[in-house]
Amino acid sequence: MSDCIFCKIRDGAIPSEKVYEDDKMFIIKDIDPKAKRHYLMIPKRHFKLLSEMTPADAEDLSYSLKKLPELSSLLGLEGGYRLVINQGDDAGQTVFHLHVHVMCGQPLDFPDLRKGK
């Protein structure tokens, strides 16, 4: 997709330090981290939402999730980590290319989502 920032990073049109890359996905540092270490794991195929996944997209996402434990030392996941996939405006999705937030490096509280309602 020509206007997608993650597709532009994937293609090298926007420079970014890729922490890891292979033929199915890449991992970059989040530019607005919410934890000591906060990465974005991004499938190379462009799709916006889980509900839009093709079988090939689902295979690539599954591969990416299974790859994370192999990258534990590289990413500093040894003490545990949190995965977040925001889906849509109400969830706070700002880039509409599916990506997985990987947060680690510190104890992570779980927010009380009922506050403010």
Side-chain angles (χ1 to χ4, degrees):
M1 176 159 257
S2 63
D3 61 339
C4 172
I5 190 168
F6 290 160
C7 289
K8 289 178 181 179
I9 290 171
R10 175 198 65 205
D11 297 340
I14 294 177
S16 180
E17 180 185 342
K18 293 178 182 168
V19 177
Y20 175 82
E21 182 174 19
D22 63 30
D23 61 326
K24 297 189 183 289
M25 59 98 156
F26 60 99
I27 297 174
I28 60 174
K29 292 180 181 177
D30 194 296
I31 62 170
D32 184 22
K34 306 298 183 210
K36 184 175 179 182
R37 287 192 290 280
H38 185 166
Y39 306 100
L40 301 178
M41 183 174 65
I42 307 165
K44 287 190 171 180
R45 290 180 201 263
H46 179 95
F47 63 100
K48 294 190 301 186
L49 302 168
L50 291 169
S51 61
E52 297 178 354
M53 277 193 304
T54 66
D57 296 333
E59 186 176 305
D60 287 356
L61 182 58
S62 174
Y63 165 87
S64 299
L65 293 169
K66 289 178 183 178
K67 186 74 175 175
L68 266 180
E70 294 177 33
L71 302 173
S72 183
S73 293
L74 174 69
L75 301 175
L77 306 178
E78 294 88 352
Y81 55 95
R82 177 173 296 160
L83 303 178
V84 175
I85 301 175
N86 296 321
Q87 294 285 275
D89 292 328
D90 285 352
Q93 186 177 10
T94 57
V95 178
F96 288 91
H97 178 133
L98 187 122
H99 55 285
V100 180
H101 293 262
V102 181
M103 293 172 275
C104 58
Q106 69 185 63
L108 298 167
D109 292 331
F110 198 82
D112 184 347
L113 299 176
R114 298 169 294 177
K115 290 182 179 178
K117 292 201 176 209

